[in-house]
Amino acid sequence: MEEKIDKVLEPLESLDQRLRAKEESLFGKILKFVEKLLIPLAVVAVAYYGNQAATKISEGQLRLAENSAADRKDESRRIIQAKYVEIFYKDLNSGDPKKQENALKLIRLMDADLAEDLAGLVAVTAGVAPQVRAGFERTRKEIETFGSLFGFKIGIYFLRGSETLTAKANDIKEKITDKGFQGTIQLYPSDKSFFDLVREPRAIEVRYEPGREDGAADSLLAILRDLYPELSIVKRAVTSRTPGFISIFISTIG
């Protein structure tokens, strides 16, 4: 009886072994498939994160280079300012009205605080021509009124072809000038494509570079709000570097 059972079990065991071999073979195929799938994905992932890391390093190096360049420019500006002061004193005390007028022009290239101090000294300096002394007094009052905005050029941007916006731009220019601003104010009529490129203003905007032109922007903002209390006037930071230049953007919708 046992022999008969063994004979029956033998084919079953053989069948079981074949089935197990097939299962192992199927598992192996799946494992190889997954392996082939994961390796390219891993390579892609490594490349992606490697690229991200390289981008961050590049951005960091760019910021470092920009900061270094800015520091060099600031140092260069301080050296130039010191040279201006030297020339200023020489021309002011020359006794020559023409050279004294050059000193008056030179002071407009200086930082507001320094210019204010030097303009104040003119009142106690002997030998200054009356017309030059009067010019320095106007400059001193301008610095008192406009603060850090002194020495800046103001650009006013508005939509080309609009009579209403052209009139508003001219009105802003005239009122700032009437307030005592002696610097350059230039109008920039511009096409719609330009405003689309630089972000269209929805109000009157004072656009400035943060960290470098905050004082000038605050002064211009306060003056515009005083001149036009009924209008919406805001500040808007920009990233472009335009030393000594600050802009007013008039809304294209009037």
Side-chain angles (χ1 to χ4, degrees):
M1 184 67 179
E2 291 180 358
E3 291 179 359
K4 292 182 179 180
I5 293 174
D6 291 338
K7 289 180 180 181
V8 172
L9 290 177
E10 283 178 4
L12 291 176
E13 289 177 357
S14 177
L15 179 61
D16 180 63
Q17 289 175 358
R18 287 197 299 271
L19 289 174
R20 286 180 181 274
K22 287 184 178 180
E23 288 177 358
E24 291 173 359
S25 177
L26 179 60
F27 177 76
K29 290 180 180 179
I30 294 174
L31 184 60
K32 289 181 180 179
F33 174 77
V34 171
E35 182 180 302
K36 290 180 180 179
L37 181 65
L38 288 179
I39 290 175
L41 289 175
V43 171
V44 170
V46 169
Y48 172 77
Y49 287 110
N51 183 63
Q52 291 291 98
T55 299
K56 289 182 178 180
I57 292 172
S58 178
E59 290 174 350
Q61 291 174 334
L62 177 60
R63 284 193 295 270
L64 182 61
E66 289 175 343
N67 290 335
S68 297
D71 290 340
R72 288 195 297 272
K73 287 181 180 179
D74 289 341
E75 179 62 24
S76 176
R77 182 173 178 80
R78 285 191 290 270
I79 294 172
I80 292 173
Q81 293 282 305
K83 188 63 178 178
Y84 285 165
V85 172
E86 180 184 341
I87 298 172
F88 172 84
Y89 275 113
K90 182 178 179 180
D91 287 349
L92 184 67
N93 292 281
S94 67
D96 184 343
K98 289 185 177 180
K99 289 185 177 180
Q100 290 172 348
E101 288 178 359
N102 289 336
L104 179 57
K105 294 176 182 177
L106 186 63
I107 203 173
R108 300 202 63 84
L109 301 176
M110 300 181 188
D111 295 334
D113 292 340
L114 179 59
E116 185 175 15
D117 291 340
L118 294 178
L121 287 176
V122 176
V124 296
T125 301
V128 179
Q131 70 273 19
V132 177
R133 194 181 299 276
F136 273 106
E137 180 59 22
R138 287 193 299 272
T139 298
R140 187 187 63 78
K141 290 181 178 178
E142 179 187 0
I143 298 172
E144 287 182 354
T145 302
F146 294 93
S148 298
L149 189 60
F150 174 79
F152 271 77
K153 176 181 177 179
I154 300 174
I156 303 177
Y157 292 83
F158 59 96
L159 185 63
R160 188 194 309 275
S162 170
E163 293 183 3
T164 300
L165 299 182
T166 300
K168 183 176 290 186
N170 277 294
D171 187 63
I172 291 173
K173 178 180 180 180
E174 290 173 6
K175 286 185 175 179
I176 294 177
T177 302
D178 290 344
K179 204 169 179 66
F181 187 77
Q182 300 180 63
T184 301
I185 303 176
Q186 186 168 342
L187 303 184
Y188 292 93
S190 305
D191 297 329
K192 184 65 166 57
S193 58
F194 169 77
F195 285 98
D196 291 338
L197 181 65
V198 299
R199 296 180 300 176
E200 185 175 355
R202 296 297 179 181
I204 292 181
E205 296 179 353
V206 173
R207 298 196 177 186
Y208 71 106
E209 184 185 359
R212 295 180 180 275
E213 300 172 347
D214 299 81
D218 289 338
S219 295
L220 183 54
L221 183 71
I223 289 165
L224 290 173
R225 285 178 173 174
D226 179 60
L227 293 174
Y228 303 97
E230 76 284 1
L231 298 180
S232 173
I233 305 172
V234 299
K235 290 194 304 181
R236 190 170 194 170
V238 298
T239 57
S240 55
R241 285 284 286 128
T242 52
F245 181 86
I246 196 165
S247 56
I248 299 171
F249 277 68
I250 301 175
S251 171
T252 55
I253 59 176

